[in-house]
Coordinates of all heavy atoms in Angstrom, one line a residue:
M182 N 0.8 -1.2 0.0 CA 0.0 0.0 0.0 C 0.9 1.3 0.0 O 0.7 2.2 -0.8 CB -0.9 0.0 1.3 CG -1.9 1.1 1.3 SD -3.0 1.1 -0.2 CE -3.6 2.8 -0.2
S183 N 1.9 1.3 0.9 CA 2.7 2.5 0.9 C 3.6 2.6 -0.3 O 4.0 3.7 -0.7 CB 3.6 2.4 2.2 OG 4.5 1.3 2.1
L184 N 3.8 1.5 -1.0 CA 4.6 1.5 -2.2 C 3.8 2.2 -3.3 O 4.3 3.1 -4.0 CB 4.9 0.1 -2.7 CG 5.7 0.0 -4.0 CD1 7.1 0.6 -3.8 CD2 5.8 -1.4 -4.5
L185 N 2.5 1.9 -3.4 CA 1.6 2.6 -4.4 C 1.6 4.1 -4.1 O 1.6 4.9 -5.0 CB 0.2 2.0 -4.3 CG 0.0 0.8 -5.1 CD1 -1.5 0.3 -4.8 CD2 0.2 1.0 -6.5
L186 N 1.6 4.5 -2.8 CA 1.5 5.9 -2.4 C 2.8 6.6 -2.9 O 2.8 7.7 -3.4 CB 1.4 6.0 -0.9 CG 1.0 7.4 -0.4 CD1 -0.4 7.7 -0.8 CD2 1.1 7.4 1.1
C187 N 3.9 5.9 -2.7 CA 5.2 6.4 -3.1 C 5.2 6.7 -4.6 O 5.7 7.7 -5.1 CB 6.3 5.5 -2.7 SG 6.8 5.6 -1.0
I188 N 4.7 5.7 -5.4 CA 4.7 5.9 -6.8 C 3.8 7.0 -7.2 O 4.2 7.8 -8.1 CB 4.2 4.5 -7.5 CG1 5.3 3.4 -7.3 CG2 4.0 4.7 -9.0 CD1 4.8 2.1 -7.7
G189 N 2.7 7.1 -6.6 CA 1.7 8.2 -6.9 C 2.3 9.5 -6.6 O 2.3 10.4 -7.5
V190 N 2.9 9.7 -5.5 CA 3.6 11.0 -5.2 C 4.7 11.3 -6.1 O 4.9 12.4 -6.6 CB 4.1 11.0 -3.7 CG1 4.9 12.2 -3.4 CG2 2.9 10.9 -2.7
G191 N 5.5 10.3 -6.4 CA 6.6 10.4 -7.4 C 6.1 10.9 -8.7 O 6.7 11.8 -9.3
L192 N 5.1 10.3 -9.2 CA 4.5 10.7 -10.5 C 4.0 12.1 -10.5 O 4.2 12.9 -11.4 CB 3.4 9.7 -11.0 CG 3.9 8.4 -11.5 CD1 2.7 7.5 -11.8 CD2 4.8 8.6 -12.7
W193 N 3.3 12.5 -9.4 CA 2.8 13.8 -9.3 C 3.9 14.8 -9.2 O 3.8 15.9 -9.9 CB 1.9 13.9 -8.0 CG 1.3 15.2 -7.8 CD1 0.2 15.7 -8.3 CD2 1.9 16.3 -7.0 NE1 0.0 17.0 -7.9 CE2 1.0 17.4 -7.1 CE3 3.0 16.4 -6.2 CZ2 1.2 18.6 -6.4 CZ3 3.3 17.6 -5.6 CH2 2.4 18.7 -5.7
A194 N 4.9 14.5 -8.5 CA 6.1 15.5 -8.4 C 6.7 15.6 -9.7 O 7.1 16.8 -10.1 CB 7.1 14.9 -7.4
L195 N 6.8 14.6 -10.5 CA 7.4 14.6 -11.8 C 6.6 15.5 -12.8 O 7.1 16.4 -13.5 CB 7.6 13.2 -12.4 CG 8.4 13.1 -13.7 CD1 9.8 13.4 -13.4 CD2 8.2 11.7 -14.3
R196 N 5.3 15.3 -12.7 CA 4.4 16.1 -13.6 C 4.5 17.6 -13.2 O 4.6 18.4 -14.1 CB 2.9 15.7 -13.3 CG 2.4 14.7 -14.3 CD 1.0 14.2 -13.9 NE 0.1 15.4 -13.7 CZ -0.9 15.7 -14.5 NH1 -1.1 15.0 -15.6 NH2 -1.6 16.8 -14.3
R197 N 4.5 17.8 -11.9 CA 4.6 19.2 -11.4 C 6.0 19.8 -11.9 O 6.0 21.0 -12.3 CB 4.6 19.2 -9.9 CG 4.6 20.5 -9.2 CD 3.2 21.1 -9.2 NE 3.3 22.5 -8.7 CZ 2.6 23.5 -9.1 NH1 1.7 23.3 -10.1 NH2 2.8 24.7 -8.7
Y198 N 7.0 19.0 -11.8 CA 8.3 19.5 -12.2 C 8.4 19.9 -13.7 O 8.9 20.9 -14.1 CB 9.4 18.4 -11.9 CG 10.7 18.7 -12.4 CD1 11.6 19.7 -11.8 CD2 11.2 18.0 -13.5 CE1 12.8 20.0 -12.3 CE2 12.5 18.3 -14.0 CZ 13.3 19.3 -13.4 OH 14.5 19.5 -13.9
L199 N 7.8 19.0 -14.5 CA 7.8 19.2 -15.9 C 6.9 20.4 -16.3 O 7.3 21.2 -17.1 CB 7.3 18.0 -16.7 CG 8.2 16.8 -16.7 CD1 7.5 15.6 -17.3 CD2 9.5 17.1 -17.5
F200 N 5.8 20.6 -15.6 CA 5.0 21.7 -15.8 C 5.7 23.0 -15.5 O 5.7 24.0 -16.3 CB 3.7 21.6 -14.9 CG 2.9 22.9 -14.9 CD1 2.0 23.1 -16.0 CD2 2.9 23.8 -13.9 CE1 1.3 24.3 -16.0 CE2 2.2 24.9 -13.9 CZ 1.3 25.2 -15.0
L201 N 6.4 23.1 -14.4 CA 7.1 24.3 -14.0 C 8.2 24.6 -15.0 O 8.5 25.7 -15.3 CB 7.7 24.1 -12.6 CG 6.7 24.2 -11.5 CD1 7.3 23.9 -10.1 CD2 6.0 25.5 -11.4
L202 N 8.9 23.5 -15.5 CA 10.0 23.7 -16.4 C 9.5 24.3 -17.7 O 10.1 25.3 -18.2 CB 10.6 22.3 -16.7 CG 12.0 22.2 -17.3 CD1 13.0 22.7 -16.3 CD2 12.3 20.8 -17.8
L203 N 8.4 23.8 -18.2 CA 7.8 24.3 -19.5 C 7.3 25.8 -19.3 O 7.5 26.6 -20.1 CB 6.7 23.5 -20.0 CG 7.1 22.1 -20.4 CD1 5.8 21.2 -20.8 CD2 7.9 22.2 -21.7
H204 N 6.7 26.0 -18.1 CA 6.2 27.3 -17.8 C 7.4 28.3 -17.7 O 7.3 29.4 -18.3 CB 5.5 27.3 -16.4 CG 4.7 28.5 -16.1 ND1 3.6 28.7 -16.9 CD2 4.8 29.4 -15.2 CE1 3.0 29.9 -16.4 NE2 3.8 30.3 -15.4
A205 N 8.5 27.9 -17.1 CA 9.6 28.8 -17.0 C 10.2 29.1 -18.3 O 10.6 30.3 -18.6 CB 10.7 28.2 -16.1
E206 N 10.2 28.2 -19.2 CA 10.7 28.4 -20.6 C 9.8 29.4 -21.3 O 10.3 30.2 -22.0 CB 10.7 27.0 -21.3 CG 11.7 27.0 -22.4 CD 11.9 25.6 -22.9 OE1 12.1 24.7 -22.0 OE2 11.9 25.3 -24.1
A207 N 8.5 29.3 -21.2 CA 7.6 30.2 -21.9 C 7.8 31.6 -21.4 O 7.8 32.5 -22.2 CB 6.1 29.8 -21.6
V208 N 8.0 31.8 -20.1 CA 8.3 33.1 -19.6 C 9.7 33.6 -20.0 O 9.8 34.8 -20.4 CB 8.2 33.1 -18.0 CG1 8.7 34.5 -17.5 CG2 6.8 32.8 -17.6
A209 N 10.6 32.7 -20.1 CA 12.0 33.1 -20.5 C 12.0 33.6 -21.9 O 12.8 34.5 -22.3 CB 13.0 31.9 -20.3
N210 N 11.1 33.0 -22.7 CA 11.1 33.4 -24.1 C 10.6 34.9 -24.3 O 10.8 35.5 -25.3 CB 10.1 32.5 -24.9 CG 10.7 31.2 -25.2 OD1 11.9 31.0 -25.2 ND2 9.9 30.2 -25.5
Q211 N 9.9 35.4 -23.3 CA 9.5 36.7 -23.3 C 10.5 37.7 -22.8 O 10.3 38.9 -22.7 CB 8.2 36.9 -22.5 CG 7.0 36.0 -23.1 CD 5.8 36.2 -22.2 OE1 5.1 37.3 -22.3 NE2 5.4 35.2 -21.5
A212 N 11.7 37.2 -22.4 CA 12.7 38.0 -21.8 C 13.6 38.6 -22.9 O 14.6 39.3 -22.6 CB 13.5 37.2 -20.8
N213 N 13.2 38.4 -24.2 CA 14.0 39.0 -25.3 C 13.4 40.4 -25.5 O 12.2 40.6 -25.6 CB 13.8 38.2 -26.5 CG 14.8 37.1 -26.6 OD1 16.0 37.3 -26.4 ND2 14.3 35.9 -27.0
C214 N 14.3 41.4 -25.6 CA 13.9 42.7 -25.9 C 13.5 42.8 -27.4 O 14.2 42.4 -28.3 CB 15.1 43.7 -25.6 SG 14.7 45.4 -26.2
A215 N 12.3 43.4 -27.6 CA 11.8 43.5 -29.0 C 12.5 44.7 -29.7 O 12.5 44.7 -30.9 CB 10.3 43.8 -28.9
G216 N 13.1 45.6 -28.9 CA 13.7 46.7 -29.5 C 15.1 46.4 -30.1 O 15.5 46.7 -31.2
C217 N 15.9 45.7 -29.3 CA 17.3 45.5 -29.7 C 17.7 44.0 -29.7 O 18.9 43.7 -29.8 CB 18.3 46.3 -28.8 SG 18.3 45.8 -27.1
K218 N 16.7 43.1 -29.4 CA 17.0 41.7 -29.4 C 17.9 41.2 -28.4 O 18.4 40.0 -28.4 CB 17.5 41.2 -30.8 CG 16.7 41.7 -32.0 CD 15.3 41.2 -32.0 CE 14.5 41.7 -33.2 NZ 13.1 41.6 -33.0
T219 N 18.2 42.0 -27.4 CA 19.1 41.6 -26.3 C 18.3 40.6 -25.4 O 17.1 40.9 -25.1 CB 19.6 42.8 -25.5 OG1 20.4 43.6 -26.3 CG2 20.5 42.3 -24.3
Y220 N 18.9 39.5 -25.0 CA 18.2 38.6 -24.1 C 18.6 38.8 -22.6 O 19.8 38.8 -22.3 CB 18.6 37.1 -24.5 CG 18.0 36.1 -23.7 CD1 16.6 35.8 -23.8 CD2 18.7 35.5 -22.7 CE1 16.1 34.9 -22.9 CE2 18.2 34.6 -21.8 CZ 16.8 34.2 -22.0 OH 16.3 33.3 -21.1
G221 N 17.5 38.9 -21.8 CA 17.7 38.8 -20.4 C 18.3 40.0 -19.7 O 18.4 40.0 -18.5
R222 N 18.6 41.0 -20.4 CA 19.2 42.2 -19.7 C 18.0 43.2 -19.4 O 17.9 44.2 -20.0 CB 20.2 42.9 -20.6 CG 21.4 42.0 -20.8 CD 22.6 42.9 -21.1 NE 22.6 44.2 -20.4 CZ 23.7 45.0 -20.3 NH1 24.8 44.6 -20.9 NH2 23.6 46.1 -19.7
I223 N 17.2 42.7 -18.5 CA 16.0 43.5 -18.2 C 16.0 43.9 -16.7 O 16.6 43.3 -15.8 CB 14.7 42.7 -18.5 CG1 14.8 41.3 -17.7 CG2 14.6 42.5 -20.0 CD1 13.5 40.5 -18.0
E224 N 15.3 45.0 -16.5 CA 15.1 45.6 -15.2 C 13.7 45.5 -14.8 O 12.8 45.9 -15.6 CB 15.6 47.0 -15.3 CG 15.6 47.8 -14.0 CD 16.0 49.2 -14.2 OE1 16.5 49.5 -15.3 OE2 15.9 50.0 -13.3
L225 N 13.3 45.0 -13.6 CA 12.0 44.9 -13.2 C 11.4 46.3 -12.8 O 12.0 46.9 -11.9 CB 11.9 43.9 -12.0 CG 10.5 43.6 -11.6 CD1 9.8 42.7 -12.6 CD2 10.5 42.8 -10.2
L226 N 10.4 46.7 -13.4 CA 9.8 48.0 -13.1 C 8.7 47.8 -12.1 O 8.6 48.5 -11.0 CB 9.2 48.7 -14.3 CG 10.3 49.2 -15.4 CD1 9.6 49.9 -16.5 CD2 11.3 50.1 -14.7
Q227 N 7.7 47.0 -12.4 CA 6.6 46.7 -11.4 C 5.9 45.4 -11.8 O 6.0 44.9 -12.9 CB 5.6 47.8 -11.5 CG 4.9 48.0 -12.8 CD 3.8 49.1 -12.8 OE1 3.9 50.0 -12.0 NE2 2.9 49.0 -13.7
S228 N 5.2 44.8 -10.8 CA 4.5 43.6 -11.0 C 3.2 43.7 -10.2 O 3.1 44.4 -9.2 CB 5.3 42.4 -10.6 OG 5.5 42.4 -9.2
D229 N 2.2 42.9 -10.6 CA 1.0 42.9 -9.8 C 1.2 42.0 -8.5 O 2.2 41.4 -8.4 CB -0.2 42.4 -10.6 CG -0.1 41.0 -11.1 OD1 0.9 40.3 -10.6 OD2 -0.9 40.6 -11.9
A230 N 0.2 42.0 -7.7 CA 0.3 41.3 -6.4 C 0.7 39.8 -6.6 O 1.5 39.3 -5.8 CB -1.0 41.4 -5.6
A231 N 0.1 39.1 -7.6 CA 0.3 37.7 -7.8 C 1.7 37.5 -8.5 O 2.2 36.4 -8.6 CB -0.8 37.1 -8.6
G232 N 2.2 38.5 -9.1 CA 3.5 38.3 -9.9 C 3.2 37.7 -11.2 O 4.2 37.3 -11.9
D233 N 2.0 37.7 -11.7 CA 1.7 37.1 -13.0 C 2.0 38.1 -14.2 O 2.3 37.7 -15.3 CB 0.2 36.7 -13.1 CG -0.1 35.5 -12.3 OD1 0.8 34.8 -11.9 OD2 -1.3 35.4 -11.9
N234 N 1.9 39.3 -13.9 CA 2.2 40.4 -14.9 C 3.3 41.3 -14.4 O 3.2 41.9 -13.4 CB 0.9 41.2 -15.0 CG 0.1 40.8 -16.2 OD1 0.6 40.8 -17.3 ND2 -1.1 40.4 -16.0
V235 N 4.4 41.3 -15.1 CA 5.5 42.2 -14.7 C 5.8 43.1 -15.9 O 5.8 42.7 -17.0 CB 6.7 41.4 -14.2 CG1 6.5 40.6 -13.0 CG2 7.2 40.5 -15.3
Q236 N 6.2 44.3 -15.5 CA 6.6 45.3 -16.5 C 8.1 45.4 -16.4 O 8.6 45.6 -15.3 CB 5.9 46.6 -16.2 CG 6.1 47.6 -17.4 CD 5.3 48.8 -17.2 OE1 4.9 49.2 -16.1 NE2 4.9 49.5 -18.3
V237 N 8.8 45.3 -17.5 CA 10.2 45.3 -17.5 C 10.8 46.3 -18.5 O 10.1 46.7 -19.4 CB 10.8 43.9 -17.8 CG1 10.5 42.9 -16.7 CG2 10.3 43.4 -19.1
R238 N 12.0 46.7 -18.3 CA 12.7 47.6 -19.2 C 14.0 47.1 -19.6 O 14.8 46.5 -18.7 CB 12.8 49.0 -18.5 CG 13.5 50.0 -19.4 CD 13.4 51.4 -18.8 NE 14.0 51.4 -17.5 CZ 13.8 52.4 -16.6 NH1 13.0 53.4 -16.9 NH2 14.4 52.4 -15.5
C239 N 14.3 47.2 -20.8 CA 15.6 46.7 -21.3 C 16.7 47.7 -20.8 O 16.6 48.9 -20.8 CB 15.6 46.8 -22.9 SG 17.2 46.3 -23.6
R240 N 17.8 47.1 -20.3 CA 18.9 47.9 -19.7 C 19.7 48.5 -20.8 O 20.4 49.5 -20.6 CB 19.8 47.0 -18.9 CG 19.3 46.6 -17.5 CD 20.2 45.7 -16.8 NE 19.6 45.0 -15.6 CZ 19.5 45.6 -14.4 NH1 20.0 46.8 -14.2 NH2 18.9 44.9 -13.5
K241 N 19.6 48.0 -22.0 CA 20.4 48.5 -23.1 C 19.8 49.6 -23.9 O 20.4 50.7 -24.1 CB 20.7 47.3 -24.1 CG 21.9 47.5 -24.9 CD 22.2 46.2 -25.7 CE 23.2 46.4 -26.8 NZ 23.4 45.2 -27.6
C242 N 18.5 49.4 -24.3 CA 17.8 50.5 -25.1 C 16.6 51.1 -24.4 O 16.0 51.9 -25.1 CB 17.4 49.9 -26.4 SG 16.1 48.7 -26.3
S243 N 16.3 50.7 -23.2 CA 15.2 51.3 -22.4 C 13.8 51.0 -23.0 O 12.9 51.7 -22.6 CB 15.4 52.8 -22.3 OG 16.6 53.1 -21.6
H244 N 13.7 50.0 -23.9 CA 12.4 49.6 -24.3 C 11.7 49.0 -23.2 O 12.2 48.2 -22.4 CB 12.6 48.6 -25.5 CG 11.3 48.0 -26.0 ND1 10.4 48.7 -26.6 CD2 10.9 46.7 -25.8 CE1 9.4 47.9 -26.9 NE2 9.6 46.7 -26.5
V245 N 10.4 49.3 -23.0 CA 9.5 48.8 -21.9 C 8.5 47.9 -22.5 O 7.8 48.2 -23.5 CB 8.9 50.0 -21.2 CG1 7.9 49.4 -20.1 CG2 9.9 50.9 -20.5
W246 N 8.3 46.7 -21.8 CA 7.2 45.8 -22.2 C 6.8 45.0 -21.1 O 7.4 45.1 -20.0 CB 7.7 44.9 -23.4 CG 8.6 43.8 -23.1 CD1 8.3 42.5 -22.9 CD2 10.0 43.9 -22.9 NE1 9.5 41.8 -22.7 CE2 10.5 42.6 -22.7 CE3 10.9 45.0 -23.0 CZ2 11.9 42.4 -22.4 CZ3 12.3 44.7 -22.7 CH2 12.7 43.4 -22.5
R247 N 5.7 44.2 -21.3 CA 5.2 43.4 -20.2 C 5.5 41.9 -20.4 O 5.6 41.4 -21.6 CB 3.7 43.5 -20.2 CG 3.2 44.9 -20.0 CD 1.7 44.9 -19.7 NE 1.4 44.3 -18.4 CZ 1.4 45.0 -17.3 NH1 1.7 46.3 -17.3 NH2 1.2 44.5 -16.1
I248 N 5.7 41.2 -19.3 CA 5.8 39.7 -19.4 C 4.7 39.1 -18.6 O 4.4 39.4 -17.5 CB 7.2 39.3 -18.8 CG1 8.3 39.8 -19.6 CG2 7.2 37.8 -18.6 CD1 9.7 39.4 -19.1
D249 N 3.9 38.2 -19.3 CA 2.8 37.6 -18.7 C 3.2 36.1 -18.3 O 3.6 35.4 -19.2 CB 1.6 37.5 -19.7 CG 1.2 38.9 -20.1 OD1 1.1 39.8 -19.3 OD2 1.0 39.1 -21.4
A250 N 3.0 35.8 -17.1 CA 3.4 34.5 -16.7 C 2.3 33.5 -16.8 O 1.1 33.9 -16.9 CB 3.8 34.5 -15.2
Ligands
ZN510 ZN1 16.6 46.6 -25.8

């Protein structure tokens, strides 16, 4: 019985891990500046309470855009 529980929890954790991994990738894809194509050189301006919506600014060209999580 406890073996089944272990397998169940293990599978759930794996699913959760893969979901978070794909999610992080989708957000990371939005970290490209549309203005100068620089990746990841962003400055956080503001976010809502849940952190789902963040406004960022490129450190290189000051282009401002939103990232939706
Ligand atoms: Zn830029």
Side-chain angles (χ1 to χ4, degrees):
M182 186 58 199
S183 64
L184 180 66
L185 277 178
L186 193 68
C187 281
I188 293 171
V190 170
L192 284 177
W193 179 83
L195 188 67
R196 261 175 57 109
R197 182 85 187 140
Y198 171 74
L199 288 174
F200 171 78
L201 288 175
L202 198 71
L203 291 174
H204 194 67
E206 203 165 314
V208 173
N210 284 339
Q211 298 180 71
N213 274 314
C214 173
C217 66
K218 311 295 180 199
T219 299
Y220 177 77
R222 293 204 35 166
I223 54 179
E224 180 182 352
L225 188 69
L226 293 182
Q227 63 178 23
S228 67
D229 65 5
D233 288 340
N234 261 302
V235 293
Q236 191 170 28
V237 295
R238 179 168 59 198
C239 176
R240 285 180 196 273
K241 200 172 169 187
C242 71
S243 297
H244 175 68
V245 174
W246 75 101
R247 302 189 71 83
I248 294 180
D249 304 313

